[in-house]
Amino acid sequence: MNIRTLLAAITLSCASLLAPFVAQAADKKVVVAYQTDALPSSVAIANGEFAKATGYDIDFRKFNSGAEIFAAIASGDVQVGYVGSSPFAAATSRGLEVKAFYLSSISGIDEALVVRNGSGIAALSDLKGKKLAAAPVSTDHYQLLALIKSLGLTEKDVQVFAIPQPEIVASYNRGDIDGGFVWDPALTELKKNGKVLVTSKDVADKGAPTFSAWVAASKFADENPAFLKSFAGVINKYYASFAADKKAWGPDSDNAKLLAKALGGTSEQQAAALKNLTLLTPEVQASEAWLGGGEKSGAAKILKDTAAFLKDQGKVSEVLPSYAAFVTPDALVNASN
């Protein structure tokens, strides 16, 4: 055997030995969908910490709504996504198998119905005959419909347009609609020429609470529990920092600048949006009140109540007996941070 043949044999042998390790690394890929909500953990998308902590090759993709994300999960294009409870309830009612493993926020003042200056709307009693909009099947869409119902009105009394947030902003600025139920950055944009009439928390207090969550396709969740724990651990780290060190999240901070770069808007807008969040600690999330109660889980109850409302509105055809299978506290138990 000459030297060239020997080298070729050694190279082939090494390649064979390395093949399983290369294949294993290639398998550790995941597509994660996110939206433009200002969250402390979005800094970890911008700086790459999610990928570093989990050891996975993560392809982060930005979407306009939870409905779009669930469609991508259903197609197999996305494995993990950040969504609201209304599209979550709709997707699971239609048979999609996913699990919420982290609650990003609950009903607060970070989502609101903003009415345009000159629209003639000064109070809730002025909504009849007006044109309002929200992203399709979003938590905002659900709460807008719930608000209208609570006032004794129907969609015949108030015209509701289900359109993506960029279109809401454009329609609002043209004067085609009188208001929009939105989250940032659209919320900041609409407030430039209008006022907040009601917040998500206000509607929750009227009996229609919501939450936003990180969910994973059930098959992926079952096969990758360590990934979800590490992912949750990163979120814990940034939420703890936000709670403990307000200066690190101010308008001139590196964190606010990274959020602006990743999500749009200015660092000042991102810092202001963060202050509107209502966040839960990992311990509270894992409790029976939210993810850890099985049939008694608060999150599962919200999903079922939301599904029942959507069925009444003709948005879904079936309400499942239980939504407990779609929430889990597993990633929050002993999550690294």
Side-chain angles (χ1 to χ4, degrees):
M1 181 181 290
N2 60 36
I3 188 66
R4 187 171 298 177
T5 304
L6 177 62
L7 287 173
I10 292 172
T11 301
L12 181 62
S13 176
C14 290
S16 298
L17 289 170
L18 288 172
F21 298 100
V22 173
Q24 187 178 21
D27 287 342
K28 295 183 109 179
K29 291 184 176 180
V30 59
V31 180
V32 175
Y34 69 101
Q35 299 185 59
T36 57
D37 302 47
L39 298 171
S41 56
S42 293
V43 171
I45 296 176
N47 67 16
E49 188 163 351
F50 275 124
K52 182 180 178 181
T54 61
Y56 279 57
D57 177 5
I58 305 179
D59 178 6
F60 283 102
R61 298 181 187 174
K62 185 162 66 175
F63 286 74
N64 287 322
S65 70
E68 292 180 7
I69 290 173
F70 278 116
I73 291 175
S75 72
D77 291 340
V78 166
Q79 291 76 52
V80 176
Y82 169 77
V83 299
S85 51
S86 180
F88 190 179
T92 50
S93 296
R94 293 168 182 148
L96 186 63
E97 295 185 1
V98 293
K99 293 180 180 181
F101 64 92
Y102 202 103
L103 298 182
S104 299
S105 64
I106 60 173
S107 309
I109 61 173
D110 55 320
E111 299 175 63
L113 172 60
V114 183
V115 293
R116 182 174 47 79
N117 293 337
S119 64
I121 303 173
L124 290 173
S125 56
D126 298 322
L127 290 180
K128 188 173 182 179
K130 301 301 182 180
K131 298 178 179 179
L132 307 175
V137 202
S138 64
T139 53
D140 292 346
H141 190 195
Y142 161 63
Q143 287 202 311
L144 178 56
L145 295 177
L147 174 66
I148 290 169
K149 184 178 180 181
S150 74
L151 298 172
L153 303 174
T154 69
E155 288 187 69
K156 293 181 180 178
D157 301 309
V158 182
Q159 197 169 354
V160 176
F161 297 91
I163 54 179
Q165 286 213 140
E167 292 181 28
I168 293 174
V169 174
S171 297
Y172 180 94
N173 289 337
R174 287 195 303 266
D176 296 341
I177 59 174
D178 301 301
F181 210 129
V182 294
W183 63 88
D184 270 314
L187 180 59
T188 298
E189 288 301 311
L190 266 57
K191 286 195 291 188
K192 291 177 180 177
N193 185 35
K195 68 172 184 177
V196 170
L197 187 67
V198 66
T199 68
S200 177
K201 184 180 185 304
D202 295 330
V203 182
D205 291 342
K206 290 176 179 290
T210 62
F211 62 81
S212 61
W214 285 101
V215 303
S218 293
K219 185 173 185 294
F220 179 86
D222 293 341
E223 295 175 352
N224 298 271
F227 171 84
L228 298 188
K229 273 187 178 291
S230 296
F231 197 93
V234 173
I235 303 175
N236 288 343
K237 172 184 173 180
Y238 282 90
Y239 278 26
S241 169
F242 178 69
D245 188 1
K246 297 303 182 185
K247 186 176 180 181
W249 297 88
D252 296 323
S253 67
D254 290 340
N255 286 326
K257 291 173 183 176
L258 276 174
L259 287 176
K261 183 178 180 181
L263 306 176
T266 66
S267 59
E268 291 80 6
Q269 290 171 341
Q270 293 296 336
L274 288 172
K275 293 179 180 179
N276 294 333
L277 293 171
T278 302
L279 308 178
L280 300 175
T281 65
E283 293 76 19
V284 172
Q285 288 191 49
S287 72
E288 184 177 288
W290 289 100
L291 296 176
E295 291 294 334
K296 298 178 181 178
S297 163
K301 184 178 184 301
I302 289 175
L303 290 175
K304 187 171 183 177
D305 290 347
T306 303
F309 180 87
L310 294 175
K311 185 175 185 294
D312 288 343
Q313 296 288 318
K315 309 299 181 184
V316 299
S317 60
E318 183 182 3
V319 178
L320 304 179
S322 171
Y323 288 77
F326 306 118
V327 301
T328 175
D330 291 352
L332 289 159
V333 179
N334 299 321
S336 58
N337 51 42

